[in-house]
Amino acid sequence: IPFSAAPLGARLPLALPPCSRPLPGSQRESSELFTLTYGALVTQLCKDYENDEDVNKQLDKMGYNIGVRLIEDFLARSNVGRCHDFRETADVIAKVAFKMYLGITPSITNWSPAGDEFSLILENNPLVDFVELPDNHSSLIYSNLLCGVLRGALEMVQMAVDVKFVQDTLKGDGVTEIRMRFIKRIEDNLPAGEE
Amino acid sequence: MPAMADETLFQLLHTQVVAAAYGAGRGSGDEGLRAGLTVLEGMGFRVGQGLAERLPQGALAFREELDTIKFLCRDLWGAVFGKQTDNLRTNHQGTYILQDNNFPFLTQMAWGQQYLEEAPKFLAFTCGLLRGTLSSLGIESSVTASVTSLPACKFQVVIQKA
C-alpha cells in the first residue's frame, strides 16, 4: 500500500480547560495522566494480589524504586543543598518536592517534642482525584506509593525514615495526613538498588 | 489535552507499571511475555479512555478521521511526552503510522540492540493509550508497535471499519 506523509501542521491552538471538574482552591499542575496511570496500576495490583496488605506492600516497594531514582532528578533540578536538620528536610519536602512533582504544597504540622516526627497534611491529594474506594478494599492504602517514594529518596541522602498514612480522605477523614519519623542517619553510602 | 505530568516522575511510574505487568507470576517464557503485554495494553487503554473522557464535550468534534489521528500525534503526544511525533504517514485507507525517532520510554534502554527483545514491554502501554483514546472518540482500532533501531519506534493504527 502506498503510504504518504501527512504533515502534522502546527499544534492546534487548543485552550482546553485542564479538567472538566475544577477543584476549588487546588492547583491542577499535576496531571490527570499521572493520576489515571496510577489508578490503572493500583487496579492491576488489586487484581493480582489477594489481600490489601500485599497491595500496600507492592505500592510501597514500587514507590521506593521510584524514590531512589527520583532523588537524583530532584537534586539536579531543585538546587537544594544539604539539609542541616529534620525541620529543614520537612520544609524541602513540602515546599519544593511536592510542589515540583505533584503541584501541591502540604502543610507541616504536629511536630513531636523531640523534633523527630512531623505530619504532612494534604488538603487535596492529586492521586485520588476520580477515585472511590470500594467496600471490599477497606484496608487498601491507596496512595501508599508516596510513602515508598519519600523513604527511598531520603535513604539516598542518608536518612532512614518511617513513613505512613495516618489519615486519608478516601477513608472518610477530613484531610490526608502522612506521618514521617526520623529513624537515623545512615553512615555508609549504601548502594542504590531495587528492593 | 490536560497539562503534562512531570516527565521524570511519569517515566519512573511507567517503569513500575511495566514491573507490575511482569510481576505476580507472569513474565517467564513466551506466554508470560504475551500475558504481560496484554496487561500493559489494557492499562494503557483505560488511561487513554479516561483522558479522552475528561476532554470538554464538543472540543473534539473532528470532521475527518485524519484530524483525530493528528490530535493524537500533537496533543496526546504533547500531554504524555512533551513533544509531537516526528512523522505521520497514511495510506488514506484507514492505516496510520506514527513515528517517534526518540521515544522516551525507550531512551533509557537505548544502550544496545541486545535489548531489542525487551522493547515491546515499553511500547504496549502506549499502544493501549492510543487505542483507548481513539475508542472514547468513537473510533475503534487496533494498534501495534515496532522498533527498528532503538530508541526509534513506529505505532501502526488500523481503523476498524464498521
Side-chain angles (χ1 to χ4, degrees), chain A residues 1-12 14 16-20 28-34 36-38 40-41 43-45 47-49 61-63 65-67 69-70 73 77 100-102 130 145 149 194, chain B residues 1-6 8-10 12-13 16-17 19-20 23-24 26 39 43 46-47 50-51 53-56 59 62 66 70-71 73-75 78-80 84-85 87-93 95-97 125 129:
Chain A
I1 319 167
F3 276 81
S4 63
L8 289 187
R11 202 172 155 161
L12 293 172
L14 276 185
L16 300 182
C19 182
S20 50
R28 297 293 319 172
E29 288 163 34
S30 147
S31 86
E32 289 158 10
L33 172 70
F34 187 84
L36 290 166
T37 304
Y38 184 67
L41 175 65
T43 305
Q44 186 60 43
L45 292 175
K47 278 185 204 162
D48 287 343
Y49 293 89
K61 184 176 131 186
M62 291 179 159
N65 291 338
I66 290 175
R69 287 165 182 77
L70 195 63
D73 177 75
R77 280 163 62 186
M100 183 184 287
Y101 293 111
L102 292 178
F130 346 113
L145 185 101
V149 172
E194 307 224 350
Chain B
M1 273 279 161
M4 63 178 290
D6 178 86
T8 311
L9 184 59
F10 181 67
L12 289 171
L13 181 67
Q16 295 306 310
V17 165
R26 280 180 300 269
V39 168
M43 284 197 261
R46 284 192 296 279
V47 173
L51 282 178
E53 280 164 9
R54 281 171 183 82
L55 293 168
F62 295 120
L66 181 60
K70 285 183 179 178
F71 171 80
C73 295
R74 277 188 304 240
D75 301 271
V80 180
Q84 299 188 356
T85 60
N87 201 323
L88 169 65
R89 295 172 73 79
T90 177
N91 65 355
H92 299 285
Q93 291 173 40
T95 299
Y96 299 86
I97 294 173
F125 178 85
L129 195 68

Side-chain angles (χ1 to χ4, degrees), chain A residues 9 21 38 50 60 68-69 81 95 97-98 104 109-111 113 116 132 135 155 168 176 183 186:
Chain A
R21 180 172 63 92
Y38 184 67
E50 293 212 347
D60 180 73
V68 296
R69 287 165 182 77
K95 292 173 189 158
F98 266 87
I104 56 167
T109 59
N110 299 339
W111 276 102
D116 62 345
E132 263 178 62
D135 290 340
E155 193 173 299
D168 193 339
T176 296
I183 301 171
I186 302 164

Side-chain angles (χ1 to χ4, degrees), chain B residues 58-78:
Chain B
L60 295 168
F62 295 120
R63 278 185 303 264
E64 306 278 343
E65 188 179 274
L66 181 60
D67 291 329
T68 313
I69 304 290
K70 285 183 179 178
F71 171 80
L72 301 180
C73 295
R74 277 188 304 240
D75 301 271
L76 181 67
W77 234 251

Side-chain angles (χ1 to χ4, degrees), chain A residues 90 93-95 98-99 104-108 119-123:
Chain A
I93 290 170
K95 292 173 189 158
F98 266 87
K99 177 90 182 129
I104 56 167
T105 307
S107 49
I108 303 166
S119 291
L120 292 166
I121 306 288
L122 285 66
E123 301 278 338

Side-chain angles (χ1 to χ4, degrees), chain A:
Chain A
I1 319 167
F3 276 81
S4 63
L8 289 187
R11 202 172 155 161
L12 293 172
L14 276 185
L16 300 182
C19 182
S20 50
R21 180 172 63 92
L23 301 172
S26 80
Q27 289 159 312
R28 297 293 319 172
E29 288 163 34
S30 147
S31 86
E32 289 158 10
L33 172 70
F34 187 84
T35 305
L36 290 166
T37 304
Y38 184 67
L41 175 65
V42 178
T43 305
Q44 186 60 43
L45 292 175
C46 285
K47 278 185 204 162
D48 287 343
Y49 293 89
E50 293 212 347
N51 61 62
D52 290 345
E53 281 73 22
D54 289 340
V55 176
N56 297 341
K57 260 183 234 160
Q58 282 298 318
L59 287 171
D60 180 73
K61 184 176 131 186
M62 291 179 159
Y64 177 88
N65 291 338
I66 290 175
V68 296
R69 287 165 182 77
L70 195 63
I71 186 71
E72 201 181 319
D73 177 75
F74 176 73
L75 294 175
R77 280 163 62 186
S78 67
N79 252 328
V80 167
R82 178 169 277 273
C83 293
H84 296 98
D85 57 27
F86 204 40
R87 283 182 184 271
E88 216 178 306
T89 307
D91 267 356
V92 168
I93 290 170
K95 292 173 189 158
V96 189
F98 266 87
K99 177 90 182 129
M100 183 184 287
Y101 293 111
L102 292 178
I104 56 167
T105 307
S107 49
I108 303 166
T109 59
N110 299 339
W111 276 102
S112 64
D116 62 345
E117 267 190 59
F118 66 91
S119 291
L120 292 166
I121 306 288
L122 285 66
E123 301 278 338
N124 286 304
N125 174 4
L127 291 188
V128 304
D129 288 352
F130 346 113
V131 174
E132 263 178 62
L133 218 51
D135 290 340
N136 56 340
H137 285 290
S138 55
S139 311
L140 179 68
I141 308 170
Y142 184 88
S143 308
N144 212 30
L145 185 101
L146 290 181
C147 295
V149 172
L150 288 165
R151 187 168 63 83
L154 287 175
E155 193 173 299
M156 289 298 108
V157 290
Q158 279 80 56
M159 290 174 84
V161 290
D162 179 64
V163 191
K164 61 174 186 262
F165 279 89
V166 292
Q167 289 196 78
D168 193 339
T169 50
L170 275 188
K171 298 190 170 162
D173 297 320
V175 291
T176 296
E177 176 178 357
I178 299 175
R179 190 80 180 149
M180 297 194 61
R181 183 171 63 88
F182 178 82
I183 301 171
K184 63 172 182 181
R185 189 156 279 284
I186 302 164
E187 297 301 336
D188 294 313
N189 259 324
L190 294 173
E194 307 224 350
E195 275 196 346

